[in-house]
């Protein structure tokens, strides 16, 4: 705001500062521009994420989140208590948890050429759950795949879509009773993203067995809620902060 007023005054034909003050005005403007650029860098730069907010008085103690770049540096296995500790997941909306499963064989959650893709990336564990959307019209299997390192996770991330497009493989849903049979069929939609050595993914189907189109706004919001807001942020932020299974860490 100060910079905007200064520049507006500088451009005004009615403002004529004394000649001896003009170099100081130019220096002030350049200093403010430099500070604005530095602030943008701090927001958008590559510094480690920090958890903690400033409150009235002293700032809250900040926790630097680990990068989670490899299983060698992050050896603790995932658990169902860590990833899906309750009977619902709250991420924008509340999703009812129908079934939870932890496996040490990633081949169980994939088909076709996705299986060797996961094996090559050192996948040794998956924790997944099947959930129902708040309106009851969709069921979703969402989970985390534990890969050897971030390079392997990136390879899986970029390799899944070509296989889906070629119908050469896919990630499988986990049926969990009435209304979830669509997860075992081909008319599902997928979403996935990486963080460190983890791949967060979701498979979504309609409870009536109908086709989900790629531009379905509700399905897209559900995938965003569960992959981005819950798995990549809520769950993995706790892990990166060094928390165990305690949700309140």
């Amino acid at each position: 705001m100060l910079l905007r007023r200064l520049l507006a005054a500088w451009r005004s034909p009615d403002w004529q500062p004394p000649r001896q003050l003009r170099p100081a005005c130019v220096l002030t403007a350049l200093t403010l521009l430099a500070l604005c650029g530095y602030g943008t860098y701090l927001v958008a730069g590559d510094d480690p994420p920090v958890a903690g907010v400033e409150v009235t008085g002293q700032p809250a103690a900040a926790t630097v989140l680990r990068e989670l770049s490899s299983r060698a540096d992050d050896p603790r296995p995932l658990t169902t208590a860590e990833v899906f500790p309750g009977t619902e997941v709250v991420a924008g909306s509340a999703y009812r948890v129908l079934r939870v499963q932890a496996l040490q064989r990633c081949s169980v959650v994939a088909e076709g050429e996705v299986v060797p893709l996961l094996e090559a990336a050192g996948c040794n564990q998956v924790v997944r759950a099947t959930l129902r959307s708040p309106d009851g019209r969709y069921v979703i299997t969402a989970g985390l795949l534990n890969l050897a390192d971030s390079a392997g996770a990136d390879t899986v991330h970029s390799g899944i879509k070509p296989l889906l497009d070629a119908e050469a493989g896919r990630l499988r849903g986990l049926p969990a009773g009435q209304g979830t049979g669509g997860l075992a069929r081909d008319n599902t939609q997928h979403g996935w993203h990486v963080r460190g050595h983890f791949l967060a993914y979701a498979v979504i189907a309609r409870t009536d067995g109908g086709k989900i189109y790629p531009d379905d706004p509700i399905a897209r919001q559900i995938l965003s809620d569960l992959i981005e807001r819950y798995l990549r942020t809520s769950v993995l932020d706790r892990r990166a902060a060094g928390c165990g299974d305690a949700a309140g860490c």
Side-chain angles (χ1 to χ4, degrees):
M1 182 64 70
L2 177 59
L3 177 60
R4 188 178 303 165
R5 291 178 179 175
L6 180 59
L7 292 176
W10 181 268
R11 296 190 186 103
S12 172
D14 299 326
W15 186 64
Q16 297 293 332
R19 182 177 300 273
Q20 64 271 22
L21 293 181
R22 290 180 185 178
C25 293
V26 172
L27 180 61
T28 301
L30 292 176
T31 301
L32 288 171
L33 285 170
L35 287 173
C36 290
Y38 184 61
T40 301
Y41 173 77
L42 287 180
V43 172
D46 295 327
D47 292 337
V50 175
V53 295
E54 185 173 337
V55 294
T56 303
Q58 295 297 320
T63 301
V64 177
L65 305 182
R66 294 179 297 135
E67 292 293 335
L68 303 176
S69 57
S70 75
R71 201 161 54 223
D73 297 327
D74 177 41
R76 179 169 55 86
L78 294 166
T79 66
T80 56
E82 177 185 5
V83 185
F84 297 105
T87 58
E88 69 176 14
V89 163
V90 178
S93 299
Y95 297 85
R96 182 185 171 197
V97 177
L98 305 177
R99 182 181 178 187
V100 181
Q101 185 181 63
L103 300 166
Q104 294 182 338
R105 289 191 303 122
C106 297
S107 60
V108 175
V109 304
E111 293 179 1
E113 293 302 311
V114 177
V115 174
L117 182 67
L118 295 178
E119 290 175 345
C123 187
N124 73 346
Q125 184 189 24
V126 59
V127 175
R128 60 179 180 168
T130 294
L131 310 99
R132 192 182 305 278
S133 66
D135 63 6
R137 295 169 52 200
Y138 298 85
V139 286
I140 315 97
T141 295
L144 288 172
L145 293 164
N146 191 342
L147 308 170
D149 53 38
S150 58
D154 288 340
T155 299
V156 172
H157 179 266
S158 61
I160 290 177
K161 187 177 186 301
L163 296 177
L164 286 173
D165 291 343
E167 299 183 356
R170 66 180 186 127
L171 293 166
R172 300 174 62 187
L174 175 67
Q178 185 176 3
T180 66
L183 289 169
R185 294 193 284 270
D186 293 335
N187 54 347
T188 56
Q189 286 291 329
H190 294 65
W192 62 95
H193 207 336
V194 295
R195 178 170 175 181
H197 67 101
F198 295 102
L199 183 90
Y201 78 97
V203 180
I204 183 170
R206 289 174 47 141
T207 53
D208 63 5
K211 181 178 177 61
I212 298 179
Y213 293 93
D215 59 350
D216 183 328
I218 299 176
R220 291 172 68 89
Q221 185 60 56
I222 290 171
L223 292 175
S224 177
D225 283 350
L226 294 177
I227 295 172
E228 298 295 335
R229 300 183 67 164
Y230 184 66
L231 292 171
R232 287 188 76 241
T233 302
S234 257
V235 174
L236 292 181
D237 268 2
R238 290 199 303 267
R239 187 177 187 89
C243 300
D245 294 343
C249 175

